[in-house]
Amino acid sequence: MTPRLLLVLPFVLAACSPADLPQAKVTMMIGVRVAEGSGIGSVTVNGDPRGPAPVDLDVEGLAFDPALTPKAWPPPGAQSFEPTVSKHGSKESSLTIALSGDIVYVRRIAAGVETMGGIRLKVTAPEGSSLEFDSAEKELTSGLGRAKHTVRLLYKRRR
Protein backbone atom coordinates (compact mmCIF):
# COMPACT_ATOMS: atom_id res chain seq x y z
CA MET A 1 0.00 0.00 0.00
CA THR A 2 1.34 3.44 -0.84
CA PRO A 3 1.81 6.04 1.91
CA ARG A 4 -0.77 8.31 0.28
CA LEU A 5 -3.41 5.61 0.35
CA LEU A 6 -2.69 5.03 4.06
CA LEU A 7 -3.35 8.72 4.72
CA VAL A 8 -6.69 8.67 2.87
CA LEU A 9 -7.94 5.32 4.21
CA PRO A 10 -9.15 6.63 7.64
CA PHE A 11 -11.25 9.32 5.93
CA VAL A 12 -12.83 6.81 3.55
CA LEU A 13 -13.66 4.45 6.42
CA ALA A 14 -15.15 7.30 8.48
CA ALA A 15 -17.37 8.32 5.58
CA CYS A 16 -18.64 4.74 5.18
CA SER A 17 -19.45 4.11 8.84
CA PRO A 18 -22.98 4.94 10.05
CA ALA A 19 -23.40 8.28 11.78
CA ASP A 20 -24.76 8.46 15.31
CA LEU A 21 -28.45 9.22 15.15
CA PRO A 22 -29.53 12.32 17.05
CA GLN A 23 -31.79 11.87 20.09
CA ALA A 24 -35.45 11.84 19.18
CA LYS A 25 -37.52 14.81 20.34
CA VAL A 26 -40.00 13.29 22.76
CA THR A 27 -42.89 15.20 24.36
CA MET A 28 -45.36 13.80 26.85
CA MET A 29 -48.64 15.34 27.95
CA ILE A 30 -51.47 14.50 30.32
CA GLY A 31 -54.68 16.21 29.30
CA VAL A 32 -57.45 16.80 31.84
CA ARG A 33 -60.93 17.19 30.35
CA VAL A 34 -64.50 17.41 31.67
CA ALA A 35 -67.32 15.38 30.10
CA GLU A 36 -70.06 17.24 28.27
CA GLY A 37 -72.93 18.12 30.56
CA SER A 38 -70.65 18.20 33.62
CA GLY A 39 -70.07 21.94 33.42
CA ILE A 40 -66.72 23.63 33.80
CA GLY A 41 -64.11 22.00 35.99
CA SER A 42 -61.20 23.61 37.80
CA VAL A 43 -57.97 21.61 37.87
CA THR A 44 -55.62 21.50 40.86
CA VAL A 45 -52.27 19.67 40.89
CA ASN A 46 -50.65 19.02 44.28
CA GLY A 47 -52.81 21.81 45.74
CA ASP A 48 -51.79 24.38 43.08
CA PRO A 49 -54.60 25.68 40.83
CA ARG A 50 -53.95 25.08 37.12
CA GLY A 51 -57.08 26.76 35.77
CA PRO A 52 -60.30 25.61 34.13
CA ALA A 53 -60.39 22.37 32.14
CA PRO A 54 -59.25 21.53 29.55
CA VAL A 55 -55.70 21.63 30.92
CA ASP A 56 -52.63 20.01 29.37
CA LEU A 57 -49.86 19.05 31.79
CA ASP A 58 -46.34 18.66 30.41
CA VAL A 59 -45.04 15.47 32.04
CA GLU A 60 -41.42 16.60 31.90
CA GLY A 61 -42.29 19.76 33.86
CA LEU A 62 -44.52 18.07 36.46
CA ALA A 63 -43.43 18.49 40.05
CA PHE A 64 -43.98 15.02 41.47
CA ASP A 65 -44.95 14.73 45.14
CA PRO A 66 -41.96 12.98 46.82
CA ALA A 67 -44.35 11.10 49.12
CA LEU A 68 -46.05 9.51 46.08
CA THR A 69 -43.03 7.87 44.40
CA PRO A 70 -44.04 4.29 43.61
CA LYS A 71 -41.61 1.53 44.63
CA ALA A 72 -42.87 -0.79 41.86
CA TRP A 73 -44.91 -0.50 38.70
CA PRO A 74 -47.84 -0.64 38.67
CA PRO A 75 -48.32 0.79 42.15
CA PRO A 76 -50.30 -1.61 44.39
CA GLY A 77 -54.03 -0.91 44.29
CA ALA A 78 -53.81 1.52 41.36
CA GLN A 79 -55.64 1.09 38.06
CA SER A 80 -52.91 0.99 35.40
CA PHE A 81 -53.46 1.80 31.72
CA GLU A 82 -51.56 0.44 28.73
CA PRO A 83 -48.58 2.63 27.79
CA THR A 84 -47.99 4.58 24.64
CA VAL A 85 -44.73 3.24 23.15
CA SER A 86 -42.54 4.58 20.36
CA LYS A 87 -39.24 3.19 19.02
CA HIS A 88 -36.38 5.51 18.04
CA GLY A 89 -33.63 3.34 16.58
CA SER A 90 -32.50 1.17 19.48
CA LYS A 91 -34.14 3.45 22.08
CA GLU A 92 -37.74 3.50 23.19
CA SER A 93 -39.98 6.13 24.74
CA SER A 94 -43.18 5.40 26.62
CA LEU A 95 -45.75 7.02 28.88
CA THR A 96 -47.85 5.01 31.34
CA ILE A 97 -50.28 6.25 33.98
CA ALA A 98 -52.03 4.57 36.88
CA LEU A 99 -54.85 6.00 39.01
CA SER A 100 -55.71 5.52 42.65
CA GLY A 101 -58.45 7.93 43.73
CA ASP A 102 -57.12 11.48 43.26
CA ILE A 103 -53.55 10.25 42.76
CA VAL A 104 -52.13 9.94 39.24
CA TYR A 105 -48.96 7.89 39.03
CA VAL A 106 -46.75 8.50 36.01
CA ARG A 107 -44.06 6.28 34.48
CA ARG A 108 -42.04 7.95 31.76
CA ILE A 109 -39.22 6.47 29.70
CA ALA A 110 -37.30 8.78 27.37
CA ALA A 111 -33.77 8.41 25.95
CA GLY A 112 -33.35 5.24 28.01
CA VAL A 113 -34.09 7.00 31.32
CA GLU A 114 -37.06 5.93 33.45
CA THR A 115 -38.82 8.43 35.72
CA MET A 116 -41.67 7.51 38.08
CA GLY A 117 -43.69 9.76 40.34
CA GLY A 118 -47.13 10.77 41.45
CA ILE A 119 -49.29 13.87 41.62
CA ARG A 120 -52.49 14.69 43.46
CA LEU A 121 -54.98 15.69 40.77
CA LYS A 122 -58.30 17.20 41.75
CA VAL A 123 -61.01 18.39 39.36
CA THR A 124 -63.86 20.37 40.90
CA ALA A 125 -67.13 21.80 39.59
CA PRO A 126 -67.83 25.56 39.95
CA GLU A 127 -69.89 24.97 43.11
CA GLY A 128 -66.91 23.17 44.68
CA SER A 129 -68.00 19.54 44.38
CA SER A 130 -65.40 17.04 43.26
CA LEU A 131 -65.69 15.50 39.81
CA GLU A 132 -64.82 11.81 39.43
CA PHE A 133 -62.61 10.06 36.90
CA ASP A 134 -64.63 8.66 33.99
CA SER A 135 -62.25 7.34 31.34
CA ALA A 136 -58.83 7.70 29.73
CA GLU A 137 -57.72 7.73 26.14
CA LYS A 138 -54.23 7.68 24.78
CA GLU A 139 -52.69 9.00 21.59
CA LEU A 140 -49.26 8.61 20.06
CA THR A 141 -48.02 10.70 17.17
CA SER A 142 -44.67 9.43 16.02
CA GLY A 143 -42.50 10.27 13.07
CA LEU A 144 -38.91 10.51 12.03
CA GLY A 145 -36.97 11.83 15.02
CA ARG A 146 -39.99 12.79 17.14
CA ALA A 147 -42.74 11.32 19.28
CA LYS A 148 -45.65 12.93 21.12
CA HIS A 149 -47.26 10.81 23.83
CA THR A 150 -50.63 12.01 25.16
CA VAL A 151 -52.97 10.55 27.76
CA ARG A 152 -56.30 12.35 28.25
CA LEU A 153 -58.22 11.91 31.49
CA LEU A 154 -61.94 12.61 31.35
CA TYR A 155 -63.84 13.61 34.52
CA LYS A 156 -67.60 13.74 35.14
CA ARG A 157 -70.05 14.72 37.90
CA ARG A 158 -70.40 12.22 40.73
CA ARG A 159 -73.66 10.28 40.79
Side-chain angles (χ1 to χ4, degrees):
M1 219 179 258
T2 66
R4 285 186 181 164
L5 186 56
L6 288 175
L7 290 174
V8 175
L9 188 59
F11 294 109
V12 171
L13 290 175
C16 293
S17 60
D20 289 335
L21 294 174
Q23 289 286 343
K25 176 164 176 41
V26 177
T27 57
M28 298 185 182
M29 304 295 285
I30 296 174
V32 181
R33 309 286 188 261
V34 175
E36 284 186 39
S38 294
I40 297 172
S42 295
V43 179
T44 305
V45 176
N46 294 332
D48 296 326
R50 292 293 182 108
V55 171
D56 289 324
L57 306 170
D58 179 12
V59 172
E60 191 171 342
L62 275 179
F64 292 126
D65 184 331
L68 299 177
T69 303
K71 294 177 181 20
W73 195 267
Q79 176 186 4
S80 183
F81 297 90
E82 288 294 314
T84 59
V85 179
S86 180
K87 289 256 188 209
H88 316 282
S90 63
K91 302 264 182 177
E92 182 176 278
S93 64
S94 70
L95 174 63
T96 313
I97 65 158
L99 296 172
S100 179
D102 287 342
I103 299 173
V104 178
Y105 294 101
V106 180
R107 180 178 184 219
R108 171 188 190 266
I109 300 174
V113 177
E114 178 185 59
T115 306
M116 289 193 297
I119 60 170
R120 295 184 193 282
L121 178 68
K122 190 170 185 179
V123 183
T124 55
E127 71 278 357
S129 65
S130 248
L131 299 179
E132 69 180 350
F133 171 75
D134 181 39
S135 61
E137 64 180 30
K138 62 183 184 175
E139 179 182 342
L140 174 65
T141 308
S142 184
L144 196 59
R146 63 175 181 75
K148 182 177 180 183
H149 301 260
T150 305
V151 176
R152 287 183 199 86
L153 305 176
L154 187 64
Y155 286 79
K156 66 179 183 179
R157 288 196 179 275
R158 294 188 185 273
R159 295 191 188 258

